[in-house]
Amino acid sequence: QVTLRESGGNSVQVGGSLRLSCTFTGNIDSETYMAWFRQAPGKEREGVATITGNDRTILIPSVRGRFTIAKDNAKNILYLQMNSLLPEDTGRYYCAADRVRRMLSQLLLPRSYAYWGQGTQVTVSS
């Protein structure tokens, strides 16, 4: 069993920065991969960034160069550093975890994850 809790969401202006945190507990090991997703009103949940058990990261093109995903295993925290925020980054951000073996290309798909947090809201205004 894995529990995830996000924090750090806020309202910011265009160009601002936020750091989201996801505190995790439970059966997290070197086989576990984790990710950040976001969902805007009326839109499907979208994978933003993922990190594997050996710290390989994948980010979607629209956030590369602006967002960074990282994990502190000693503190049991997953981070998403978000810089140069844009209005289209607005949404509720969720962290997720799983350890079922999958191809890298599947790690930004919601269906690849069994464990989810409740989310934290990010609003970017111009």
Side-chain angles (χ1 to χ4, degrees):
Q1 186 69 20
V2 174
T3 59
L4 306 166
R5 178 170 293 179
E6 305 92 336
S7 61
N10 211 331
S11 296
V12 297
Q13 293 196 327
V14 170
S17 296
L18 285 173
R19 187 176 76 164
L20 305 184
S21 298
C22 172
T23 301
F24 54 87
T25 60
N27 187 22
I28 302 285
D29 58 17
S30 61
E31 298 297 320
T32 303
Y33 44 90
M34 301 184 74
W36 287 98
F37 289 79
R38 66 187 178 191
Q39 189 166 19
K43 294 189 176 182
E44 293 186 353
R45 192 166 295 189
E46 172 189 41
V48 175
T50 184
I51 184 166
T52 66
N54 59 1
D55 291 338
R56 180 170 180 174
T57 63
I58 304 172
L59 292 90
I60 58 173
S62 63
V63 307
R64 286 177 197 159
R66 301 190 297 123
F67 291 13
T68 304
I69 185 171
K71 181 157 55 78
D72 186 330
N73 291 316
K75 295 182 179 179
N76 283 6
I77 302 177
L78 176 72
Y79 297 105
L80 185 67
Q81 177 67 44
M82 305 188 295
N83 300 326
S84 303
L85 282 161
L86 302 170
E88 50 263 44
D89 295 319
T90 294
R92 191 163 185 85
Y93 282 70
Y94 300 86
C95 68
D98 209 310
R99 64 189 307 277
V100 173
R101 280 187 173 270
R102 301 186 190 278
M103 298 176 63
L104 282 175
S105 59
Q106 297 175 305
L107 298 190
L108 285 173
L109 301 176
R111 65 172 183 262
S112 296
Y113 294 86
Y115 301 102
W116 293 85
Q118 295 299 306
T120 186
Q121 181 66 32
V122 172
T123 303
V124 184
S125 57
S126 56

